[in-house]
Amino acid sequence: LEWMQCVVWGLLGSSCCLIQLGANLLATMNVAQIGCTGFNKVLGPIRPQLRAATGAYMVAYWLWTLSRPAARRRLGRLVVTTVIFLALTFLPEVLVLSGGPALAPPTGDAQVVVLQVDGMGCEACQSHVKGVLDRSGGVIASSVDFNTGRAEVYVAKGWGNFNMSAVSEQLEYDGYMIDIISDIPHTNSPTNSPTNAPTDSPVTSSSSNTEL
């Protein structure tokens, strides 16, 4: 019962972030595409109050445990449950601070793709979308904000295996809606410039105007 209470309070303190991570794992394994579970949309606005309540619970739990006669024997369990509680409570911040490795070599000459990703409701959704972007070929880095739904993808210039269509299809398959705001300009196709076309203006020869 103590372990269950610790897990429940930890989940409430993180707006059930672990449950969203489980949904992301199912999507990665192609078991089920749930998308955003929506817990943070309900619990997110009151996350500070929930964390204050869960913190008060842990303080009371410590005081109650230490006041019992067999406190030393229960101290190890108390430490373990506290670590689990803190890990679950601050899991959203851990996800935000952690980032995936780039698949393209670092370069300052990068092109930026701007996306609007609808359907993200918490840090776990943000982490999932960022993971899909960072695992795409040619991506140096990405920046995702679930609050605004904006994602910026930095792609190495000339790295030809970046496929925006595949990225969009994967995210939509995982339950998110994608709108490409700014894509990489395609400059490989030749342009019909007026300077390359033959001119239709008549050319007068100096020899035709001279009379013998």
Side-chain angles (χ1 to χ4, degrees), residues 5-207:
Q5 290 176 350
C6 173
V7 171
V8 170
W9 281 106
L11 288 175
L12 289 175
S14 65
S15 305
C16 297
C17 186
L18 185 63
I19 297 178
Q20 182 62 53
L21 287 178
N24 295 344
L25 179 61
L26 293 177
T28 303
M29 298 172 62
N30 290 326
V31 175
Q33 276 64 41
I34 301 174
C36 179
T37 56
F39 286 107
N40 190 64
K41 294 180 180 179
V42 178
L43 300 176
I46 58 173
R47 183 183 293 179
Q49 293 83 347
L50 288 174
R51 287 187 172 179
T54 55
Y57 164 78
M58 285 305 299
V59 171
Y61 181 59
W62 268 83
L63 294 176
W64 175 78
T65 303
L66 294 177
S67 64
R68 301 187 65 180
R72 289 188 176 182
R73 290 187 300 174
R74 301 174 60 89
L75 187 59
R77 180 185 298 181
L78 179 62
V79 172
V80 173
T81 54
T82 302
V83 170
I84 295 175
F85 165 78
L86 292 175
L88 291 175
T89 300
F90 295 101
L91 184 58
E93 284 77 8
V94 174
L95 292 175
V96 172
L97 293 176
S98 63
L103 297 183
T107 176
D109 192 12
Q111 296 173 308
V112 182
V113 179
V114 182
L115 306 174
Q116 182 67 30
V117 185
D118 294 328
M120 295 188 296
C122 64
E123 290 86 353
C125 298
Q126 174 179 304
S127 177
H128 179 73
V129 172
K130 180 176 172 59
V132 172
L133 297 175
D134 288 344
R135 288 192 297 269
S136 303
V139 174
I140 303 171
S142 66
S143 175
V144 184
D145 186 358
F146 79 93
N147 290 303
T148 61
R150 185 182 178 91
E152 295 182 354
V153 189
Y154 298 87
V155 181
K157 187 174 182 179
W159 193 272
N161 62 339
F162 176 72
N163 191 336
M164 186 65 248
S165 299
V167 172
S168 299
E169 291 177 3
Q170 180 62 52
L171 290 176
E172 290 175 356
Y173 183 71
D174 291 343
Y176 303 95
M177 294 176 289
I178 311 300
D179 185 17
I180 302 176
I181 299 177
S182 175
D183 201 353
I184 297 177
H186 301 282
T187 58
N188 294 330
S189 59
T191 57
N192 294 327
S193 174
T195 58
N196 296 331
T199 58
D200 295 332
S201 59
V203 178
T204 58
S205 173
S206 58
S207 61

